[in-house]
Amino acid sequence: MEMKVFIKSLLAPAYYSLWRAYITIMGSIFRAKITNGYDIPIIINNRNRLTFLQKLIESLEVKGYRNIFIIDNNSDYQPLLNYYESCPYKIFRLDKNIGYLALWKTSIYKNFIKDFYVYTDSDVVPTENCPSDFLDQFLQVMKSEKDLMKIGLSLNIDDLPDCFSMKSQVIDWEHQYWQQESEDSRFYVANVDTTFALYRPFMKGGASRLKMYRSKKPFSAYHMPWYNDSANLSEEEKFYIENAKTSTHWTTKR
């Protein structure tokens, strides 16, 4: 096992160099058409989240975004299914729970990969103070920095309630993303997973060694589960946790 890890570490630089070259070449062949941040498709990955999904969509709509899509990972929370019946946005319904990488582990990505797009979990909500044109600003930065593959919103940690049992662990974990400032004072150089992020055309997947930015305030978001009262979870949150057949970093810890 150690030998496999060692070999992978040796091959990693070459692998990521090839990946970066592939993205660059494909981007030059298929020229991106999106020039306005409000036209960028926002793809929300969801399973059994209703309240947080509604808060995310409301936040986006208030800021003027309407090009919204939902990937549903075979949800079975009935209030959510009822909501889908009147939801005005396109929903890709999966017949099984693929998990947080559902966009890229299905053929859905083919609808979006040739241009700029946003991918996010459903429990990440831009703050009220996040500028409405934040995606337009991110887009211009990405167009000016050709080696930049992904820009994500930072997650607030200075307002977490004491009733959230993992408050200290979250704060300790998130600090690693605020260490290296970029030349652009609005960002840190840091990996971004499937929290709210803008992707360059043909860029796929979660964290990697490719160049990524995390934005500073006011370009930030709430990770909604961090605001739960851990001792008094809602029935919806209990249902979500009990039925989380695939997990993320924090659902595993919980």
Side-chain angles (χ1 to χ4, degrees):
M1 186 66 179
E2 291 181 358
M3 180 58 70
K4 288 183 179 180
V5 173
F6 176 69
I7 292 174
K8 285 184 178 179
S9 67
L10 289 178
L11 295 177
Y15 170 77
Y16 286 111
S17 293
L18 289 172
W19 190 8
R20 188 182 299 108
Y22 168 79
I23 294 171
T24 301
I25 292 170
M26 295 302 288
S28 64
I29 295 174
F30 300 94
R31 295 286 185 177
K33 298 179 180 179
I34 293 176
T35 59
N36 186 322
Y38 290 95
D39 295 331
I40 297 172
I42 299 173
I43 307 146
I44 303 171
N45 187 40
N46 190 47
R47 174 173 165 81
N48 288 334
R49 291 289 200 198
L50 173 58
T51 302
F52 295 162
L53 175 66
Q54 289 175 314
K55 288 181 180 296
L56 171 55
I57 290 176
E58 180 183 0
S59 172
L60 294 172
E61 290 177 337
V62 166
K63 296 182 187 301
Y65 297 98
R66 295 291 189 278
N67 196 15
I68 299 171
F69 301 83
I70 300 170
I71 299 176
D72 183 79
N73 277 274
N74 197 30
S75 293
D76 51 4
Y77 183 57
Q78 192 57 50
L80 171 64
L81 302 182
N82 295 341
Y83 167 76
Y84 282 158
E85 295 304 315
S86 59
C87 178
Y89 301 111
K90 168 72 175 177
I91 302 171
F92 297 94
R93 294 183 184 243
L94 304 181
D95 58 7
K96 61 180 179 180
N97 182 12
I98 305 297
Y100 68 101
L101 298 177
L103 173 61
W104 305 297
K105 286 190 172 183
T106 65
S107 61
I108 297 173
Y109 77 93
K110 295 179 181 179
N111 294 280
F112 307 101
I113 200 69
K114 293 182 180 179
D115 217 316
F116 296 95
Y117 67 94
V118 166
Y119 187 47
T120 181
D121 296 326
S122 57
D123 56 7
V124 179
V125 178
T127 66
E128 298 83 357
N129 294 328
C130 183
S132 295
D133 67 343
F134 72 102
L135 280 182
D136 202 52
Q137 294 192 50
F138 286 8
L139 179 63
Q140 301 314 314
V141 171
M142 190 168 283
K143 286 186 173 184
S144 67
E145 299 191 33
K146 301 302 182 183
D147 60 339
L148 180 60
M149 300 297 165
K150 192 172 175 180
I151 304 177
L153 290 171
S154 62
L155 300 177
N156 276 11
I157 59 172
D158 58 358
D159 59 353
L160 303 185
D162 292 336
C163 61
F164 175 53
S165 63
M166 297 184 66
K167 176 179 178 178
S168 61
Q169 294 98 313
V170 165
I171 293 173
D172 289 343
W173 176 264
E174 288 296 308
H175 274 152
Q176 67 181 297
Y177 302 120
W178 299 356
Q179 302 303 312
Q180 182 182 352
E181 291 193 357
S182 71
E183 292 183 4
D184 187 322
S185 61
R186 294 172 293 178
F187 304 98
Y188 292 102
V189 178
N191 277 345
V192 182
D193 52 19
T194 51
T195 52
F196 198 109
L198 172 66
Y199 290 71
R200 181 175 293 281
F202 297 97
M203 172 65 180
K204 297 194 298 183
S208 73
R209 298 187 185 186
L210 300 181
K211 185 177 180 181
M212 304 179 191
Y213 283 169
R214 285 202 184 211
S215 56
K216 297 181 181 179
K217 284 189 174 184
F219 304 96
S220 61
Y222 304 113
H223 186 215
M224 299 305 297
W226 295 349
Y227 297 85
N228 284 332
D229 182 345
S230 300
N232 296 285
L233 295 176
S234 67
E235 292 304 313
E236 178 183 339
E237 189 68 9
K238 290 178 183 177
F239 186 94
Y240 171 80
I241 294 172
E242 291 168 0
N243 291 273
K245 296 178 181 178
T246 64
S247 60
T248 63
H249 177 82
W250 294 110
T251 55
T252 299
K253 290 183 178 297
R254 281 189 293 174

